[in-house]
Amino acid sequence: MTVIYPSPIFGPVHSRRLGVSLGINLMPADGKLCTFNCIYCECGFNEDFRPKLPRPTREEVRQALEARLQDMKANGPAPDVLTFAGNGEPTAHPHFAEIIDDTLALRDRYFPNAKVSVLSNSTFIHKSAVFDALNKIDNNILKLDTVDEDYIRDLDRPTGKYAVADIIEGMKAFKGRCIIQTMFLKGGYKDKDMDNTSDKYVLPWLEKVKEISPRQVMIYTIDRETPDHDLLKVTHEELDCIAALVKEAGIEVSVSY
C-alpha cells in the first residue's frame, strides 16, 4: 500500500532507526515531489501522485509543529527525534534553512533532549543554505545507495542533473558531520537485475564511504510495500556481512532488517 503522508506534521511513528519520531513533511499533503523517483519508494512513483496543493509555508510548518509539541508536552509521548521526511526531498523546500532554524528553537523550548534529523537524497547539499542548515542539526542523514552511476539511474532514478562524483564531494565537505544511509535490495525491475549486495557494488561503495568518513552508516533493506513488486528484501546474514566490512573500516554502523 502506497503511503502519502499528511503535511506538515505526521506521527509520531516508531522508526526502526530513530525511535519515537515526529515527522515533518515539507511537501504537499496530496502527493509527491522529489528529485529522485526511487523504484522502492513507499510513497509510490512521482508520476502517479502529482500534487495539486502547494508546499506548506514556513509559518504553517512552525505553527503546526509548535501545536503538536505543546500537545506532546501535555499528553505524551516525548519524541526521541523530530524527523524531516515525507512525500519527497525536504531540502527542496525554498525555505528549508529557515524552517530548520525554527525547528531547532522549538525543540530547545519543548523537548531539548530530542534530536533533529533530516533524511535527504543529497541532491541539494551543494546549495550553501542547505549545507549550512544540515550542519546545525543532530542527524544529517544522506542517501548513497551505490556509487555506480548506471545503477543509480535504474534504482534512484534522479529527475534532474545528477553526478554521483559531485554528490560524494559534497558529502566529504561535511567533514564527518553526516550519516550515510544505504538501501540494499534484490530482485528485478524492467528485466534488470537490481541486486546491489555483490562485491561489484559493495566494495566501490565502501571505498567512497571511507573517503566521506561519516560518523555512522545506516544500512537497511525494504521494509514496506514498494511500487514495483519484483523487488526483494536482503537477508539478515547478507546485511550483517556488509555491516562487518563497514565496522572493519572503523566506521560505526547500524543495521535495520
Side-chain angles (χ1 to χ4, degrees):
M1 191 179 115
T2 300
V3 182
I4 295 295
Y5 290 96
S7 179
I9 307 299
F10 63 93
V13 297
H14 186 78
S15 162
R16 287 188 291 169
R17 285 156 283 171
L18 302 168
V20 177
S21 171
L22 183 65
I24 304 169
N25 175 23
L26 301 186
M27 296 301 117
D30 65 334
K32 188 182 169 209
L33 276 179
C34 198
T35 47
F36 273 7
N37 193 12
C38 299
I39 61 174
Y40 59 78
C41 183
E42 66 187 14
C43 298
F45 295 134
N46 295 357
E47 57 273 19
D48 295 334
F49 297 95
R50 299 265 182 228
K52 294 183 176 62
L53 296 172
R55 293 183 176 109
T57 65
R58 173 188 179 180
E59 190 54 26
E60 284 169 344
V61 175
R62 194 195 67 74
Q63 287 178 357
L65 179 58
E66 181 156 33
R68 193 72 184 88
L69 292 176
Q70 285 172 338
D71 178 63
M72 293 172 88
K73 194 80 177 166
N75 304 305
D80 297 310
V81 62
L82 312 179
T83 306
F84 285 82
N87 311 334
E89 174 52 35
T91 63
H93 193 290
H95 297 290
F96 174 75
E98 295 89 342
I99 290 168
I100 288 291
D101 287 340
D102 293 343
T103 302
L104 291 169
L106 289 169
R107 183 274 308 269
D108 292 348
R109 187 180 312 161
Y110 293 101
F111 291 102
N113 293 328
K115 307 289 189 197
V116 173
S117 299
V118 174
L119 299 175
S120 171
N121 65 21
S122 314
T123 50
F124 286 91
I125 58 176
H126 63 283
K127 296 197 165 189
S128 59
V130 170
F131 180 83
D132 292 345
L134 291 175
N135 261 313
K136 294 176 183 176
I137 63 171
D138 302 287
N139 297 316
N140 169 27
I141 303 171
L142 301 174
K143 170 161 288 303
L144 186 66
D145 285 336
T146 173
V147 297
D148 184 297
E149 190 98 36
D150 291 335
Y151 182 87
I152 287 170
R153 303 219 173 269
D154 290 334
L155 181 77
D156 299 321
R157 303 195 302 166
T159 59
K161 187 174 164 226
Y162 183 93
V164 72
D166 293 342
I167 295 290
I168 290 164
E169 287 307 307
M171 290 173 167
K172 286 185 197 172
F174 284 104
K175 300 191 182 338
R177 283 188 56 82
C178 64
I179 295 168
I180 298 298
Q181 181 193 67
T182 301
M183 164 69 80
F184 288 101
L185 44 68
K186 294 190 151 188
Y189 178 69
K190 291 188 174 174
D191 298 325
K192 289 185 178 170
D193 180 10
M194 298 310 299
D195 183 347
N196 64 339
T197 63
S198 66
D199 286 354
K200 174 188 171 184
Y201 293 106
V202 172
L203 298 182
W205 166 83
L206 183 63
E207 288 311 305
K208 292 303 178 185
V209 168
K210 288 180 193 170
E211 287 179 25
I212 296 162
S213 191
R215 66 176 174 85
Q216 188 187 353
V217 172
M218 293 177 168
I219 64 174
Y220 66 128
T221 191
I222 296 166
D223 182 39
R224 300 182 179 96
E225 188 173 322
T226 65
D228 187 86
H229 297 284
D230 293 330
L231 301 175
L232 303 169
K233 282 173 83 86
V234 173
T235 66
H236 289 203
E237 292 75 19
E238 287 165 318
L239 284 180
D240 286 341
C241 284
I242 297 166
L245 294 173
V246 178
K247 217 174 278 180
E248 270 173 39
I251 300 169
E252 185 190 324
V253 61
S254 69
V255 185
S256 299
Y257 302 108

